[in-house]
């Protein structure tokens, strides 16, 4: 991307994982940093136990007008994919390329409509390879299941993700504003702070 191009983000997962909250937190932080935001949300499936998705096109100061951009990311032009559910992330591989960073949860969530149907989730390494097949860099972390084990709430995995994104410099406007936006959206309770700190610490693990 050039300095005037939008930074394209897709956050995907299943209903109840905090996909929309995570997307709005990123959008709020971008706006506070002077970026303009366009995009879309998919929530209907989430209300039925199905897929949820947020698409964000973050426009830098001096970039094109929002009206000049489709809310959809063109194929191959995705900069950041956050997959809170790995199969849902794999479905977005056509948007990815060597420019894409993927933060991928390692634990699948069985779709509600697949229960009792004989559906079998593919092995994670197969999913990971599929997500990376267009050249994206994939960072795989145990987000939701680890949050459930540590704090009793799987949804705190999205705060772990935000902490990782901030510390890794995965977004073009810096991490401090992201933390401020997360605290405003979710509060600053003890376990929220712990989840954020855990996400930050995981960047050091990945760097080894």
């Amino acid at each position: 991307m050039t300095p005037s191009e939008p930074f394209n983000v897709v956050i995907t997962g299943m209903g109840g994982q905090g996909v929309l909250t995570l997307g709005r937190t990123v959008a709020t932080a971008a706006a506070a940093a002077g970026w303009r935001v366009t995009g879309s949300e998919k929530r209907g499936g989430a209300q039925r136990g199905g897929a949820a998705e947020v698409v964000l096109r973050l426009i830098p100061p001096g970039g094109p007008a929002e009206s000049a951009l489709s809310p959809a990311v063109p194929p191959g032009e995705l900069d950041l994919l956050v997959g809170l559910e790995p199969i849902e992330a794999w479905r977005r591989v056509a948007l990815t390329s060597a420019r894409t960073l993927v933060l991928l949860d390692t634990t699948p969530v069985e779709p509600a409509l697949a229960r009792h149907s004989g559906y079998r989730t593919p092995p994670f390494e197969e999913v990971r390879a599929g997500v990376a097949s267009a050249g994206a860099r994939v960072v795989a972390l145990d987000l939701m299941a680890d949050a459930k084990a540590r704090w009793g709430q799987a949804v705190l995995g999205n705060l772990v993700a935000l902490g990782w994104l901030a510390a890794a410099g995965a977004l073009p406007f810096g991490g401090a504003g992201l933390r401020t936006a997360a605290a405003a959206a979710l509060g600053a309770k003890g376990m929220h702070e712990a989840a954020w700190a855990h996400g930050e610490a995981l960047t050091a693990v990945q760097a080894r």
Side-chain angles (χ1 to χ4, degrees):
M1 62 178 290
T2 69
S4 62
E5 288 182 324
F7 186 90
N8 299 314
V9 181
V10 169
I11 301 164
T12 189
M14 304 294 283
Q17 290 188 301
V19 171
L20 301 185
T21 299
L22 199 160
R24 290 170 186 169
T25 300
V26 172
T28 298
W35 291 58
R36 288 168 291 129
V37 182
T38 188
S40 62
E41 294 180 351
K42 174 185 175 183
R43 65 172 70 198
Q47 294 170 341
R48 298 171 180 82
E53 180 179 79
V54 174
V55 177
L56 298 174
R57 308 200 71 189
L58 309 179
I59 307 165
E66 293 91 327
S67 59
L69 297 174
S70 163
V73 176
E77 295 188 15
L78 187 60
D79 295 292
L80 175 64
L81 173 59
V82 180
L84 298 181
E85 201 293 318
I87 300 294
E88 290 303 314
W90 193 1
R91 297 183 198 279
R92 309 309 186 272
V93 69
L95 302 179
T96 68
S97 66
R99 75 189 258 176
T100 312
L101 170 63
V102 183
L103 177 58
L104 186 67
D105 198 338
T106 59
T107 303
V109 177
E110 183 182 77
L113 294 177
R115 292 167 193 160
H116 314 298
S117 68
Y119 171 84
R120 293 184 181 274
T121 303
F124 176 74
E125 285 308 316
E126 179 182 340
V127 177
R128 178 176 180 156
V131 173
S133 61
R137 175 192 168 208
V138 178
V139 175
L141 298 175
D142 186 356
L143 298 172
M144 296 292 166
D146 189 30
K148 176 69 172 178
R150 287 172 181 269
W151 303 291
Q153 296 183 36
V155 72
L156 288 178
N158 64 50
L159 259 175
V160 176
L162 283 167
W164 188 93
L165 293 171
L171 290 158
F173 47 81
L178 196 60
R179 184 162 194 168
T180 299
L186 301 167
K189 299 176 183 178
M191 59 183 165
H192 290 174
E193 293 292 323
W196 181 281
H198 183 55
E200 289 181 321
L202 288 173
T203 60
V205 174
Q206 286 293 319
R208 291 177 185 172

